[in-house]
Amino acid sequence: MKEQSSTSTQKIHLPNKDLVGLKRSEEQKEVTTEKTKLPKPTGWRMLVLPFRMDEKTKGGLILGDETIDRQQVASQCGNVIAMGDSCYKDKERYPNGPWCAVGDWVVFARYAGSRIEIEGGEVRLLNEDEILATVQDPTDILHKY
């Protein structure tokens, strides 16, 4: 099989060879990338991956998984992964254009949006108007839980 990056949207097909333990109909199943497993926001919503702190503090302490998970849930900063097709399209509400774009680090209210658990953490679905600010570097924001 070909090696594939996590940002690619192409699908990998299993080989057409006889595989032990697989029936002929199961051979053509498609294996999808991690990105295709994420929910696709609809309308004016956007998918945001909350900032995840380092496992090690500046002083060298190694933080536990529970502490890191709590911080991610309480995070008010995240990276925009995807936007719905109607995001920032209303010219009356957003005469100066979009407040953010895919790939931007944004700040939002602590309890904003819907939390969705995924393998490895959680993502949030936010409405377009729940974005409070954009930041260049998420580490500039003090992250406490």
Side-chain angles (χ1 to χ4, degrees):
M1 284 195 285
K2 293 180 181 177
E3 191 173 319
Q4 190 170 4
S5 71
S6 64
T7 59
S8 176
T9 58
Q10 295 178 353
K11 295 181 180 177
I12 300 173
H13 295 280
L14 292 175
N16 288 329
K17 299 177 184 176
D18 289 333
L19 299 174
V20 177
L22 288 179
K23 296 177 184 174
R24 182 56 91 183
S25 63
E26 292 176 344
E27 288 182 13
Q28 294 301 319
K29 281 187 178 177
E30 295 176 342
V31 179
T32 59
T33 63
E34 293 299 318
K35 189 171 184 177
T36 60
K37 293 179 183 180
L38 292 174
K40 186 178 187 297
T42 57
W44 61 86
R45 293 170 193 89
M46 60 183 64
L47 188 66
V48 176
L49 179 65
F51 175 73
R52 189 170 177 92
M53 68 192 309
D54 289 333
E55 294 177 1
K56 196 180 216 183
T57 65
K58 291 178 184 177
L61 295 175
I62 297 176
L63 300 172
D65 289 338
E66 186 176 330
T67 302
I68 294 170
D69 289 343
R70 275 192 204 162
Q71 185 278 331
Q72 186 177 17
V73 168
S75 179
Q76 296 173 273
C77 186
N79 189 267
V80 179
I81 298 173
M83 298 174 96
D85 54 357
S86 299
C87 238
Y88 298 116
K89 298 289 190 218
D90 187 353
K91 298 295 181 192
E92 286 183 29
R93 288 186 76 186
Y94 308 104
N96 298 328
W99 293 349
C100 63
V102 172
D104 286 352
W105 287 100
V106 295
V107 177
F108 45 87
R110 182 178 301 261
Y111 299 107
S114 298
R115 293 184 171 107
I116 299 171
E117 291 288 328
I118 60 168
E119 187 175 333
E122 76 169 27
V123 292
R124 287 198 194 184
L125 275 173
L126 299 171
N127 292 333
E128 63 188 3
D129 60 353
E130 292 180 304
I131 301 302
L132 304 176
T134 58
V135 292
Q136 292 296 317
D137 186 358
T139 58
D140 291 342
I141 305 295
L142 184 58
H143 298 279
K144 289 185 176 182
Y145 60 90

